[in-house]
Every structure is written in C-alpha cells, then in structure tokens.
Amino acid sequence: MKRVYFVLTYSGTILGRIIRCKTGKMYTHVSISLDENLDRMYSFSRLNPYNCFIGGFVHERINMGSFKRFKNTKAMVCYIEITDYQYEKLEKQIEMFEENRKMYKFNVLGLIYILFNKRIHRKNYFYCAEFIKYILGNANINIKLPDMPRPENFEKLKNSTIIYEGLLNKYRDTIILQEYEMAKIS
C-alpha cells in the first residue's frame, strides 16, 4: 500500500478570498502529493505568483512560487492509502500532464461557474479539484467525489487521515518533530 496526500490551502489571495466568501469554507485550493514531504505537489493554479488569471498545470512547492509569496498560507494535509498499482497509474497520469503541460489551461470560467453551482466542461481546462478528480478517476481510485468537485470535498474523505493542520511553511518542521518523537519511543 502507498499513500497519496491531499493538501488543502488558503493563502488569502484575492481569488481565494472571493471563493471563501462565496463558499464559507476554510480552504479554497487543493493539491495532490505523492510523498509525505510534499516535494511532489501538483495542481492547477496560477503560473505566476502575481497573476491569478494566467494559470495551468503546476508543480507546487512549499517555499516557492505562490506559497513563498503568501507565507501565511494555512493548510490541512491528509492522506488515503491506495494499492501499488493505483499509485503507478497515478504517477503516469501526472507524468502525462507534465509532458503535455502546454496543452492544459486553468479553468477560470469553470471556477466561476462552480461558485454558482453550474458546470461547464472545457476540454483540457481544469481547476484544482477538477484536475485531482480527473487523475484519480483515470488511476481507478474511486473516492466518491461529486460531479462538480470543490476543495472542501477533500476535507472529510472516507478513509482519509488528517496528519497536519497549520501554516504550510511549518509542515516539514512538524513532520520532522513527529518522526523524532516516534524514534524516541522506539
């Protein structure tokens, strides 16, 4: 069994504040990671930390890009366990997006529509939760997300385990401390 991590965030950007105001939910963005350290975090988001309308497939890092610019980003990290086969398929899905990143765009229109509970499907356009639902489905990982997924749908997934809640830039310190504490107990 392998773990897949979901990183829910709220950075306080203008777009994030609009989404939070409309939904009333704590977190406004979701990323997927294939490792506990969150070195390999992926989503659809802004390509430039200073422009929320030019976006696409992104490889996010805790202390780079938008998360570096917005140092007080709040986060919740949880994981689900999947089979080795599903993990390999998920890796292949992400590799496909990486190799073809120029053909994928950020679905700003879809994001606006979903705020009003309307759906619009545009080929090769994704917003964060829509992208994650798509790659999970293609990897045969069924976590029962709604047709119009939102970041908050990842907060209380069945069989998920929350491992962190706090500032995103403090996440690694917490993981290292937990590992140290576990080593002392052993």
Side-chain angles (χ1 to χ4, degrees):
M1 296 296 277
K2 300 239 184 201
R3 291 181 177 173
V4 129
Y5 298 85
F6 301 107
V7 184
L8 290 104
T9 53
Y10 173 72
S11 60
T13 64
I14 292 171
L15 186 58
R17 289 191 306 243
I18 291 168
I19 293 168
R20 189 184 229 186
C21 181
K22 179 71 177 143
T23 65
K25 301 298 181 182
M26 175 68 178
Y27 301 105
T28 59
H29 180 67
V30 63
S31 309
I32 189 168
S33 182
L34 301 179
D35 65 284
E36 184 180 30
N37 289 327
L38 308 183
D39 291 325
R40 297 176 4 172
M41 240 179 356
Y42 304 96
S43 192
F44 267 71
S45 186
R46 58 179 68 201
L47 294 172
N48 178 326
Y50 296 93
N51 185 331
C52 67
F53 295 106
I54 299 174
F57 175 76
V58 290
H59 179 179
E60 297 171 313
R61 290 195 167 72
I62 291 175
N63 293 308
M64 292 180 70
S66 293
F67 294 138
K68 180 180 181 180
R69 179 173 178 223
F70 299 98
K71 294 183 186 324
N72 292 321
T73 296
K74 293 175 180 64
M76 181 179 90
V77 180
C78 62
Y79 71 84
I80 60 169
E81 291 189 337
I82 60 174
T83 67
D84 291 351
Y85 175 73
Q86 290 170 319
Y87 189 88
E88 287 173 24
K89 286 190 76 159
L90 191 56
E91 280 184 313
K92 286 185 175 136
Q93 284 293 303
I94 291 170
E95 285 171 17
M96 190 262 311
F97 272 87
E98 281 185 307
E99 290 168 5
N100 300 294
R101 73 175 52 236
K102 289 186 179 183
M103 70 185 270
Y104 297 106
K105 305 291 182 218
F106 183 54
N107 193 2
V108 177
L109 193 57
L111 194 58
I112 293 166
Y113 268 62
I114 196 158
L115 290 175
F116 296 98
N117 293 317
K118 304 233 182 270
R119 181 171 183 172
I120 183 171
H121 177 73
R122 300 168 70 201
K123 186 177 179 181
N124 297 334
Y125 282 76
F126 296 90
Y127 58 87
C128 60
E130 187 177 39
F131 159 70
I132 294 173
K133 178 181 178 170
Y134 179 83
I135 63 171
L136 291 173
N138 284 345
N140 297 325
I141 303 166
N142 185 4
I143 57 172
K144 298 186 181 171
L145 291 168
D147 285 339
M148 296 184 296
R150 299 171 182 235
E152 66 257 23
N153 299 134
F154 293 86
E155 284 186 53
K156 295 179 180 148
L157 291 173
K158 185 178 179 184
N159 300 322
S160 72
T161 303
I162 297 171
I163 58 170
Y164 179 76
E165 204 158 3
L167 292 177
L168 182 61
N169 62 14
K170 301 292 184 200
Y171 171 77
R172 285 197 181 125
D173 296 341
T174 304
I175 294 299
I176 291 168
L177 183 60
Q178 287 172 354
E179 288 172 356
Y180 174 75
E181 292 297 324
M182 292 302 288
K184 277 181 23 181
I185 294 170
S186 300

